[in-house]
Amino acid sequence: MDNFTSVGERIKSIRKHHKLTQIEFAQSLEIAQGTLSEIESGKAKPSFEMLVLLADKFLVDMNWLVFNRETELHLGLQNDELLLLENYRNLEQIAKDELIDFSNLKLLRYQRKL
């Protein structure tokens, strides 16, 4: 996601990235659509609980969400693993399912050679 200057802009970018309306996104965060609108426009600030829920539900890094900083901590993932994860997240569900099936086939093939 791009560099947005306010928390509201970053929240809006998450919503747009997931192709959700304000109503759908607000419902997923258990807040009113009007509250979301005010947060996205910068008229209101999100609660800590909402930020935690959003980060957890949409797999967003809290450093980026709150402070607009990329984190260097990737829980021990290598660059190729991060690339696979990023690519996977950008796929449609049917492609995700195909990729899981393909990886299972690769695992079966590799295990037979041992």
Side-chain angles (χ1 to χ4, degrees), residues 33-79:
Q33 181 272 327
T35 303
L36 177 62
S37 178
E38 289 187 351
I39 290 169
E40 287 186 355
S41 68
K43 294 177 184 171
K45 300 290 182 204
S47 69
F48 178 74
E49 291 79 14
M50 184 199 140
L51 292 171
V52 170
L53 178 62
L54 192 153
D56 185 50
K57 188 170 263 195
F58 293 95
L59 304 175
V60 176
D61 179 69
M62 284 290 281
N63 276 325
W64 174 78
L65 182 60
V66 176
F67 303 111
N68 198 21
R69 280 189 238 141
E70 295 296 326
T71 182
E72 293 301 317
L73 175 64
H74 295 293
L75 304 174
L77 296 176
Q78 302 297 318
N79 286 338

Side-chain angles (χ1 to χ4, degrees), residues 7-18:
V7 173
E9 288 175 323
R10 289 188 289 282
I11 290 172
K12 183 176 183 176
S13 76
I14 296 165
R15 177 176 63 80
K16 296 257 185 198
H17 178 77
H18 290 279

Side-chain angles (χ1 to χ4, degrees), residues 82-98:
L82 289 169
L83 179 61
L84 283 170
L85 182 57
E86 183 179 337
N87 288 343
Y88 177 83
R89 288 178 177 168
N90 289 320
L91 294 173
E92 293 183 20
Q93 188 58 49
I94 191 166
K96 289 179 181 180
D97 295 341
E98 290 172 354

